[in-house]
Amino acid sequence: GENVEQHPSTLSVQEGDSAVIKCTYSDSASNYFPWYKQELGKRPQLIIDIRSNVGEKKDQRIAVTLNKTAKHFSLHITETQPEDSAVYFCAASIEGNNDMRFGAGTRLTVKP
Amino acid sequence: DVKVTQSSRYLVKRTGEKVFLECVQDMDHENMFWYRQDPGLGLRLIYFSYDVKMKEKGDIPEGYSVSREKKERFSLILESASTNQTSMYLCASSPRTVNEKLFFGSGTQLSVL
């Protein structure tokens, strides 16, 4: 089955700096790659996703890039703010398979 | 707004007890999932269901079973709870295809003593 690896496990940045979280996946058939944000004590919520037919997607300060050849995708957060502090999970799924596999998570801390 | 409701926020059980975790969603979603969340291990899929009475094993099904008698309800069952099943359990649902947004419940923190 699919295996998703995520790095780093913890990331600390200064407010205003950029943050990058990277994930790799094992199954070349995977074609949907979402990112979830989980604030302390709250449920994970989708922040952005990308499908395999595009290489990059942006939403304000957040962007995701996908390299299908290398089987890796990344989350980029620019101009970080303290409210970006959370645990971020990447995930991958294969169309037609009704399941989704998550990475181990990255705890991002943005220092004021 | 989609609502996924887990019956308990915190649960304390004893080793050997049979434990039921309940999850209900109100958006007529076909797919429902149970994940376990542990520090450093992320979200690991226990079981999922894509239709009433249908179930599929995830990555860590051992020690667990599930039941989906109605479309809106997906139950996780620990037949004989053990201390290594102490964890945060998250239920989620999604529409017909999994390549859509997952909606999560608030989670149940289970402690097995």
Side-chain angles (χ1 to χ4, degrees):
Chain A
E2 176 64 276
N3 181 47
V4 179
E5 294 192 357
Q6 183 172 347
H7 301 279
S9 57
T10 60
L11 180 59
S12 181
V13 300
Q14 209 64 38
E15 183 177 359
D17 288 350
S18 295
V20 181
I21 303 170
K22 299 181 180 181
C23 289
T24 61
Y25 60 99
S26 61
D27 195 327
S28 56
S30 289
N31 60 355
Y32 176 62
F33 307 93
W35 286 88
Y36 285 80
K37 175 183 179 182
Q38 186 178 29
E39 297 177 36
L40 188 63
K42 296 188 176 181
R43 67 191 76 191
Q45 294 198 312
L46 179 73
I47 55 171
I48 195 168
D49 56 11
I50 191 168
R51 299 180 190 275
S52 59
N53 57 345
V54 297
E56 184 175 1
K57 185 177 179 180
K58 288 183 179 180
D59 183 3
Q60 299 182 341
R61 295 186 297 106
I62 294 173
V64 57
T65 58
L66 171 65
N67 184 326
K68 289 169 57 180
T69 303
K71 290 190 283 187
H72 68 70
F73 56 112
S74 300
L75 178 72
H76 304 253
I77 307 174
T78 58
E79 300 173 21
T80 54
Q81 301 168 2
E83 51 265 38
D84 294 330
S85 295
V87 177
Y88 292 82
F89 293 99
C90 63
S93 68
I94 303 169
E95 192 162 15
N97 289 9
N98 287 315
D99 60 358
M100 186 174 294
R101 295 300 195 274
F102 284 82
T106 296
R107 180 173 298 280
L108 173 65
T109 302
V110 180
K111 298 177 181 177
Chain B
D1 222 12
V2 175
K3 186 176 281 186
V4 179
T5 304
Q6 294 183 229
S7 54
S8 303
R9 187 73 178 93
Y10 298 96
L11 211 51
V12 180
K13 296 292 181 180
R14 297 208 175 273
T15 302
E17 279 193 77
K18 189 170 186 176
V19 182
F20 293 86
L21 302 183
E22 305 287 346
C23 177
V24 177
Q25 50 96 3
D26 66 358
M27 279 302 290
D28 202 36
H29 284 171
E30 276 77 10
N31 299 319
M32 295 189 75
F33 308 82
W34 276 106
Y35 287 91
R36 172 175 168 163
Q37 183 175 15
D38 299 288
L41 297 177
L43 299 169
R44 293 182 292 167
L45 182 64
I46 305 172
Y47 268 97
F48 64 98
S49 169
Y50 53 89
D51 201 352
V52 175
K53 296 191 185 295
M54 305 302 290
K55 60 183 179 183
E56 294 283 346
K57 292 180 179 180
D59 296 324
I60 51 166
E62 297 78 18
Y64 304 94
S65 62
V66 290
S67 172
R68 193 160 181 208
E69 296 296 319
K70 294 184 178 181
K71 191 175 186 180
E72 67 270 19
R73 186 181 297 271
F74 192 36
S75 303
L76 180 69
I77 304 157
L78 286 66
E79 296 290 341
S80 178
S82 63
T83 55
N84 62 13
Q85 292 179 309
T86 291
S87 186
M88 170 67 79
Y89 291 87
L90 286 166
C91 174
S93 72
S94 73
R96 183 171 298 120
T97 169
V98 78
N99 289 352
E100 301 286 346
K101 179 178 177 180
L102 281 180
F103 294 85
F104 283 91
S106 297
T108 296
Q109 179 63 51
L110 172 67
S111 297
V112 182
L113 306 179

